[in-house]
């Protein structure tokens, strides 16, 4: 998630500065909130959390400081209009495809599978009503290209 987010941000806004920090925790919301508040103090205007339950602290920090946060895994827009959107991990697609493969005798054990945008394995959630149409349209355009396999060179590790 982080590598892809940074890649897209730098393509959209060359020269943009991205900040990374790690809580080394997927549960304790206070740890992630503290990390996010530190980034916001450094000038962050959008906080993207990728830390499960701990990441709810990031979204809380965004809310407290009046900036956007981006949810992760499931659609976290229900938290409020400060959640710009969410990066969705479509586990339902992965489970369905695994069951279908098993039903057809084609489930390969011991193999990693990628459930990319091309097969609906990832996506984004509903948009905050505060997000301008221009941003929504730009993301939709890029996501369409991603689904079509037209975006190449996305790194798999954070730089």
């Amino acid at each position: 998630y982080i590598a892809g987010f940074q890649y897209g941000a730098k393509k959209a806004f060359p020269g943009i500065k991205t900040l990374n920090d790690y809580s080394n925790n997927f549960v304790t919301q206070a740890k992630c909130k503290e990390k996010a508040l530190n980034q916001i103090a450094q000038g962050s205007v959008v906080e993207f959390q990728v830390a499960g339950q701990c990441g709810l602290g990031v979204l809380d920090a965004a809310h407290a400081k009046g900036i956007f946060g981006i949810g992760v895994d499931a659609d976290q827009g229900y938290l409020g209009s400060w959640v710009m959107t969410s990066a969705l991990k479509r586990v339902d697609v992965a489970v369905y495809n695994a069951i279908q493969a098993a039903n057809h005798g084609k489930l390969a054990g011991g193999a990693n599978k990628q459930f990319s945008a091309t097969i609906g394995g990832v996506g984004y959630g509903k948009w905050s009503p505060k997000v301008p149409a221009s941003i929504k349209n730009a993301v939709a355009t890029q996501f369409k290209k991603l689904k079509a396999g037209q975006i190449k060179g996305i790194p798999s590790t954070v730089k």
Side-chain angles (χ1 to χ4, degrees):
Y1 276 144
I2 298 169
F5 179 78
Q6 287 181 335
Y7 177 85
K10 290 174 182 178
K11 288 290 186 183
F13 302 101
I16 193 171
K17 180 181 177 186
T18 59
L19 303 170
N20 294 331
D21 209 340
Y22 302 93
S23 66
N24 297 314
N25 187 297
F26 284 93
V27 179
T28 309
Q29 294 177 26
K31 286 184 178 185
C32 284
K33 184 173 183 176
E34 178 183 351
K35 300 290 186 181
L37 288 171
N38 287 338
Q39 289 181 345
I40 294 166
Q42 293 176 60
S44 176
V45 295
V46 175
E47 284 290 312
F48 179 37
Q49 73 97 350
V50 294
Q53 182 180 342
C54 182
L56 293 172
V58 171
L59 298 178
D60 188 41
H63 181 224
K65 294 298 182 176
I67 68 167
F68 277 125
I70 298 174
V72 72
D73 295 337
D75 192 347
Q76 295 177 316
Y78 67 89
L79 293 170
S81 61
W82 65 90
V83 178
M84 177 183 273
T85 189
S86 298
L88 302 182
K89 188 185 301 179
R90 298 290 312 274
V91 176
D92 57 327
V93 172
V95 170
Y96 178 82
N97 286 349
I99 291 169
Q100 289 296 96
N103 284 340
H104 294 96
K106 296 182 180 179
L107 183 62
N112 291 327
K113 295 284 186 180
Q114 286 190 341
F115 292 92
S116 65
T118 58
I119 61 167
V122 296
Y124 54 91
K126 72 177 183 177
W127 289 99
S128 165
K130 295 180 178 182
V131 176
S134 60
I135 291 175
K136 295 177 197 177
N137 293 336
V139 169
T141 297
Q142 293 308 306
F143 191 70
K144 185 176 179 180
K145 289 179 182 179
L146 183 65
K147 283 177 70 170
Q150 297 172 344
I151 298 179
K152 305 289 183 201
I154 301 172
S156 59
T157 57
V158 178
K159 294 181 181 179

